[in-house]
Amino acid sequence: MRRKPRRGGGRQAEVTIESLGGRGDGVARLDGRPVFVPLTLPGDRVRLRITGEKAGAFKAEVIELLAGGPGRVEPPCPHYGPCGGCALQHLEAGRTASWKREQVVQALARRGLPGEAVRPLIAVPPGSRRRAALAAVRTQAGVLLGFHERASHKVIDAPGCRLLTPGLTAVLPLLRAALAGILAPRESADVTLCETESGVDLLLISRRPPDLAAREALAELARSADLARLSWAPPDGEPEPVARRRPPRISFAGVAVVPPPGGFLQPSAEGESALTRLVLDGLPAPAERVLDLYAGCGAFSFPLAEHARVHAVEGDEAALAALRTAARGAGLEGRVSAEARDLARRPLQASELAGFDCAVFDPPRAGARMQAEAFAASDLPAVVAVSCNPNTFARDARILVHGGFALAEVTPLDQFPWSGHVELVAGFKR
Ligand SMILES: C[S@@+](CC[C@H](N)C(=O)[O-])C[C@H]1O[C@@H](n2cnc3c(N)ncnc32)[C@H](O)[C@@H]1O
């Protein structure tokens, strides 16, 4: 069956890139409409081909770079271009940092909040990603293991990925070889890898449960790659252990935590320490009781517990169980309490916030609108926001400012080098 060509598809044009869009793609104008051109940067003159159209904007690909804009550099990774893991390797690091910081300033401006509070960006170096979700598929050419192609389900094999830690990179060839004997032809799987202090924790997610031979191959992989733990899970199902060689351990302020298979952890140790330092800097002094909302398995709860009594709230039962076990193991039960709660549906209300000196909140990309409204309606004296989405952060910040908080300081953090992502920590005080 022939595919119906998309409107405008195939048309060629010459344009000058004017800006970068939110995902790091270059943006030009054609017929008065935005055209998004991956792998370009402001000042580039390109000949492009329109590949599609969405929400009033064109999508395009470069046929030829006619003249490079300022700050263009040679991308260091051999997989750059097709691989969807990175979007900005062709841009100088300093310019990427300015652009990411500006994303935060602009998001605040769109909500009527001043950009003066935004500090210079802290950047985590490439090669520091200790946690990564990769895709795998068995093809006729062997197993492909890496990130998806941009806007596609196609897997780009990325043995030379520059993002991952050396510890994760070393596991890839062994994992690829093991999957060749486990996946059926054309079968795909997802793999979450996390490098902990006691070794790599690997979670394989696939529709087909591993049979006896596959379990033996996975156990052999765990041995040859010296993994701490290897688990399997069906999509959206509970993980089950396949090989447990050592508990995968991460320490937060010296407290050893064993995260659940595939559980959330900050993607880099460097990013986690920077975030922790900024969170602690945002605490009012003295602070006796502090809330840690969206606590995960305690990355901030345990450092906060060195300064105050902490109540950690988290929606994921497995993460919370890890936090509780770690608190018990460290003899901190009297210092760190934990509550399982869906904060999107049941945010902590003003009456529950009474008596706390500060609330730290670190929601997923959707932000925490209802929780911000409850902060605004409370007498809480200080809030520290950690965010991976400047737009939802700015929305929630506006609610806090309306509720009488002043935005003290915003520090952008780049934990996802060469991508369009930017994170931040912000302090609010009444
Ligand atoms: C960005 S992570 C932060 C975790 C932790 N602060 C850290 O730094 O490791 C967001 C956390 O929010 C949790 N979460 C997501 N939606 C939630 C909800 N509706 N209610 C409570 N927790 C939720 C996730 O399970 C995850 O642990």
Side-chain angles (χ1 to χ4, degrees), residues 161-182:
C161 175
R162 298 289 202 272
L163 294 174
L164 308 182
T165 57
L168 289 194
T169 305
V171 170
L172 299 186
L174 298 165
L175 173 58
R176 192 180 287 102
L179 289 175
I182 291 169

Side-chain angles (χ1 to χ4, degrees), residues 279-305:
V279 164
L280 295 178
D281 286 352
L283 272 192
E288 284 176 19
R289 291 182 68 207
V290 173
L291 276 166
D292 181 17
L293 307 185
Y294 302 90
C297 52
F300 305 141
S301 311
F302 293 112
L304 286 166

